[in-house]
Amino acid sequence: MAQSQPCVLVVEDEGAQREVLKYNLEAKGFQVVMAENGDEAMLLVAEEQPDLIVLDWMLPNVSGIEICRRVKADPSTRQIPIIMLSARSEEVDRVRGLETGADDYVVKPYSVVELMARLRTQLRRTRPASMGERLSFGDIILDAAEHRVFRAGQPLHLGPTEFRLLSTLMEKPGRVWTREQLLDRVWGRDIYVDTRTIDVHVGRLRKALMVHGGDNPVRTVRGTGYSLG
Ligand code: CA
């Protein structure tokens, strides 16, 4: 696997529907967290920073639309893609009309195959390496599906951790990652690793990237972490 797998937050008040979604998402290798109401959902958005939200329209108390508005109004969460589920197509028309900022809409009863396809479409945009896309940065090419890296046309040999690290950095060139963020993404959220470990692996990654020459593309951001370019 290219990185820790994308985390999907499912917000749905009906237990049976929630379980079906969890089962299907986990079968596709996604990490799944679940909320049954708006308050839980907002808490999990903050705590887990999911990569995507599947959000039911009809929820008790805080509606799906209101959750969508809140997520999209916050600069730290607005980039998270949201797929809204609704019972009727008229609702979808209303959601669209309300301009909640949802990224896609699926009408219930939906086919799991269709929902998964929509989900992958969103994640190809926001988590391209985890979806097996080919990424490039300068003269570096990372082929996530083939698990190969080239620089200036020459194949490079990266260890599995260095590969996940590079794919994370290449998904968002220029973004400054803290060591904690990189640990979550590269090692996984529930694994304890000393933050100094990341420095060791960044060192190995730099060495591997420069083995045939070329500049060091991984910048150290003093007091913060690392950035590509
Ligand atoms: Ca519902």
Side-chain angles (χ1 to χ4, degrees):
M1 107 183 130
Q3 303 173 359
S4 71
Q5 291 303 85
C7 175
V8 178
L9 168 62
V10 172
V11 189
E12 165 68 83
D13 59 317
E14 288 152 71
Q17 299 249 16
R18 230 173 22 243
E19 290 305 320
V20 167
L21 280 169
K22 179 180 158 71
Y23 174 83
N24 283 287
L25 288 164
E26 286 183 344
K28 297 290 178 194
F30 294 108
Q31 299 182 59
V32 182
V33 286
M34 301 195 289
E36 43 185 289
N37 58 53
D39 294 330
E40 264 182 43
M42 292 313 294
L43 205 69
L44 286 170
V45 167
E47 277 179 2
E48 302 286 335
Q49 298 175 354
D51 295 296
L52 185 139
I53 303 170
V54 176
L55 179 57
D56 187 30
W57 152 292
M58 288 295 281
L59 294 167
N61 307 320
V62 189
S63 73
I65 290 169
E66 183 53 31
I67 296 168
C68 187
R69 273 211 199 95
R70 289 185 197 171
V71 170
K72 293 298 181 181
D74 183 340
S76 68
T77 57
R78 68 161 52 120
Q79 78 291 347
I80 303 172
I82 295 179
I83 298 177
M84 293 270 307
L85 304 177
S86 77
R88 295 187 303 275
S89 56
E90 306 91 79
E91 287 178 349
V92 169
D93 293 339
R94 275 183 64 200
V95 180
R96 286 212 180 95
L98 288 165
E99 290 173 3
T100 53
D103 298 87
D104 204 352
Y105 313 86
V106 174
V107 178
K108 288 179 177 180
Y110 52 85
S111 90
V112 170
V113 174
E114 187 197 351
L115 180 63
M116 292 297 158
R118 305 272 189 113
L119 209 116
R120 276 194 293 273
T121 299
Q122 294 300 324
L123 290 171
R124 264 199 294 274
R125 181 167 60 78
T126 55
R127 293 287 309 272
S130 68
M131 292 292 105
E133 299 286 292
R134 195 179 163 99
L135 308 182
S136 67
F137 176 78
D139 60 356
I140 303 167
I141 290 169
L142 181 142
D143 187 328
E146 298 282 326
H147 223 270
R148 300 183 73 184
V149 179
F150 300 87
R151 185 163 195 191
Q154 306 221 54
L156 302 180
H157 300 286
L158 266 60
T161 303
E162 286 71 39
F163 185 88
R164 291 198 298 271
L165 192 51
L166 181 62
S167 68
T168 299
L169 293 168
M170 284 183 73
E171 279 188 343
K172 302 260 187 305
R175 168 176 168 174
V176 178
W177 293 81
T178 67
R179 287 175 174 79
E180 288 73 20
Q181 287 168 338
L182 285 173
L183 287 175
D184 279 354
R185 186 58 76 82
V186 174
W187 275 265
R189 287 154 211 267
D190 304 322
I191 294 165
Y192 176 77
V193 185
D194 193 294
T195 50
R196 276 170 299 185
T197 307
I198 203 99
D199 302 333
V200 173
H201 287 281
V202 168
R204 286 187 195 153
L205 174 61
R206 282 174 170 152
K207 200 172 161 191
L209 289 173
M210 297 191 289
V211 71
H212 302 299
D215 294 337
N216 168 25
V218 184
R219 193 162 59 92
T220 301
V221 182
R222 200 172 287 277
T224 310
Y226 297 100
S227 167
L228 188 68

